[in-house]
Amino acid sequence: MENRFTSSFPVSCQNSRDYNLTTICPDNQTVNSTSPALLNPPAFGMSYFTMTLGALSNLTALAILAHSYARLRRRAKVPFLLLASVLLVNDLAGHVITGALALHLHLGRVKHHWLAVIVEPPPVYCKLFGGCMVFFGLCPLLLGSAMAVERCIGITQPLLHPTIVTMTRVRLTVLLITFTALVLAGLPLLNVGDYKPQFPGTWCFLPVNSLLSITDANLALAFSTLGLVTLTVSVVSNTISGLKLFQARFKDRCVKSTITRRHGSYSSSPLHSLDVEMMTQLAAITVVSCVCWSPFLIYILISVSRFYEGIRRPRRPCEKMLLLALRLASWNQILDPWVYILLRRAVLRRLLQLLQPDRLVFTHSGSYADSHRKKISLH
């Protein structure tokens, strides 16, 4: 590989034919350096912690979704449950697979730390790691966008929702999302572009900070653009759905006020508890995705744009910024399952009861689409 790992600790001039090692030979460095960075091996305890936390969180959220599906088999929620389950399975697989690959590189750095050398993984390993990073990075963004569009149709067009959003189409959407992410991730495996080791030598990805080829730049641009487009679609769809729910809530209050003035009593209509629950979860997922992924995607977009403009930046500060953005993006897979753990209807009902103990906000009713159909049938 043309790009070698960079490291925070200095290394000495050694020549080893028994290992696939790359050494850096600074003029002012000797073998007997007492640099603190050299004396302390790279810490990887946090990687173990985050991988374990992410796996347990996703398994817990999957169990909650399975229980919800077995207890509540309503047509309006089945597509959402399917997409949410696929999202959590993807998060779980991505967290475990990429975490294991990163831990392997961490352990390699610790193993060869006292040799003061930098281990360069085989090209096949780096390509596999980079492909997993791209695939498991794009899939959650695309699935979150699909969930937002599905809920937007269900809330704004409740009567057409069963016709438009069929289970066959949902499954085809999942397959299309998987195929799209797989194609983009697999192109470097077919020698269309390449994956390179990234600072500090514990992960591989499309080259962003180094000298890029046109193919590498185009792939990185496609990754960041597709990710930002999916985030935009999610925000727009959730905004439309939220405004529709607020409009329905406002109309419900107006009807209640009018009937109360005329008859003195009013039996409250269902307040679309399923829609409120799903929209709350979607809003949280969108916020988490935007906060976690936006810095990483925007950084890649800016770096590639400056490459096209012929602007070169200092490499080391840029590598550190990219690493920080990646660490923030990795928390998306940890926080996603907690949306389903904490923002369930039972938890929301209890929270609202604590805030407004004299009012029962959620009922055991169906979704907005179900209540809308009931009103149509009564006429």
Side-chain angles (χ1 to χ4, degrees):
M1 287 188 180
E2 295 179 359
N3 291 346
R4 296 187 173 100
F5 282 146
T6 56
S7 176
S8 59
F9 55 87
V11 294
S12 60
C13 298
Q14 297 184 11
N15 183 19
S16 175
R17 297 181 181 178
D18 298 329
Y19 301 97
N20 181 21
L21 302 176
T22 302
T23 61
I24 301 176
C25 306
D27 296 334
N28 58 350
Q29 182 62 48
T30 62
V31 178
N32 297 324
S33 172
T34 57
S35 170
L38 181 60
L39 295 177
N40 298 321
F44 54 92
M46 181 57 67
S47 299
Y48 276 116
F49 172 75
T50 55
M51 188 173 71
T52 303
L53 176 62
L56 293 177
S57 301
N58 280 281
L59 289 174
T60 303
L62 281 172
I64 291 174
L65 283 181
H67 176 72
S68 176
Y69 180 78
R71 179 179 56 86
L72 186 61
R73 293 178 177 271
R74 289 188 174 167
R75 177 67 183 82
K77 198 175 181 180
V78 172
F80 182 85
L81 285 176
L82 176 60
L83 292 173
S85 300
V86 175
L87 173 64
L88 291 178
V89 170
N90 182 272
D91 282 344
L92 176 62
H95 209 73
V96 172
I97 294 175
T98 58
L101 293 173
L103 283 176
H104 177 74
L105 294 183
H106 271 291
L107 292 174
R109 289 185 63 196
V110 173
K111 179 180 178 180
H112 299 284
H113 177 74
W114 298 107
L115 298 177
V117 294
I118 301 170
V119 181
E120 182 174 301
V124 175
Y125 186 92
C126 198
K127 287 187 176 183
L128 175 63
F129 196 173
C132 291
M133 292 287 291
V134 173
F135 177 79
F136 291 114
L138 277 181
C139 279
L141 296 174
L142 293 170
L143 288 169
S145 177
M147 292 167 63
V149 172
E150 185 274 332
R151 274 299 81 208
C152 185
I153 296 174
I155 292 175
T156 59
Q157 302 292 333
L159 298 180
L160 298 178
H161 179 263
T163 304
I164 299 175
V165 186
T166 62
M167 290 304 297
T168 301
R169 291 179 178 176
V170 172
R171 293 188 182 98
L172 288 176
T173 300
V174 173
L175 291 177
L176 180 61
I177 288 173
T178 305
F179 178 76
T180 302
L182 192 61
V183 167
L184 187 58
L187 286 177
L189 302 180
L190 302 175
N191 295 323
V192 180
D194 197 9
Y195 292 113
K196 297 294 181 63
Q198 305 292 326
F199 175 82
T202 55
W203 62 293
C204 297
F205 197 69
L206 297 168
V208 176
N209 292 318
S210 59
L211 295 177
L212 306 179
S213 65
I214 297 297
T215 304
D216 291 334
N218 289 336
L219 286 176
L221 183 63
F223 176 84
S224 61
T225 302
L226 186 57
L228 291 172
V229 167
T230 57
L231 289 179
T232 303
V233 171
S234 298
V235 171
V236 172
S237 299
N238 289 334
T239 301
I240 295 174
S241 301
L243 292 176
K244 184 67 176 180
L245 284 180
F246 278 119
Q247 183 183 13
R249 175 72 178 272
F250 180 75
K251 289 183 178 179
D252 187 76
R253 284 187 174 182
C254 292
V255 172
K256 177 180 178 179
S257 177
T258 302
I259 295 179
T260 301
R261 285 197 303 267
R262 292 180 179 179
H263 303 283
S265 63
Y266 173 72
S267 179
S268 178
S269 61
L271 194 53
H272 335 312
S273 57
L274 279 179
D275 288 320
V276 172
E277 178 189 17
M278 289 185 285
M279 276 307 306
T280 304
Q281 293 173 347
L282 268 181
I285 288 175
T286 304
V287 171
V288 169
S289 297
C290 290
V291 172
C292 292
W293 276 104
S294 292
F296 188 72
L297 297 173
I298 293 175
Y299 178 88
I300 294 176
L301 184 64
I302 294 175
S303 296
V304 175
S305 300
R306 292 189 175 182
F307 162 77
Y308 283 120
E309 295 173 359
I311 301 175
R312 299 187 62 180
R313 297 179 297 170
R315 181 171 179 178
R316 181 53 61 85
C318 295
E319 289 176 336
K320 292 182 178 180
M321 290 177 60
L322 181 63
L323 179 63
L324 290 176
L326 173 72
R327 288 174 176 172
L328 182 60
S330 66
W331 275 91
N332 180 77
Q333 296 172 328
I334 300 176
L335 297 178
D336 270 350
W338 286 98
V339 172
Y340 300 99
I341 295 173
L342 298 178
L343 299 183
R344 292 175 291 155
R345 196 160 27 142
V347 177
L348 293 175
R349 187 186 298 115
R350 179 62 60 87
L351 178 62
L352 291 173
Q353 285 179 349
L354 292 176
L355 297 176
Q356 297 177 330
D358 57 332
R359 299 180 62 183
L360 182 60
V361 180
F362 289 126
T363 65
H364 296 280
S365 64
S367 66
Y368 175 63
D370 297 332
S371 61
H372 197 71
R373 291 192 200 97
K374 291 179 182 179
K375 292 179 181 179
I376 296 294
S377 62
L378 289 177
H379 293 288

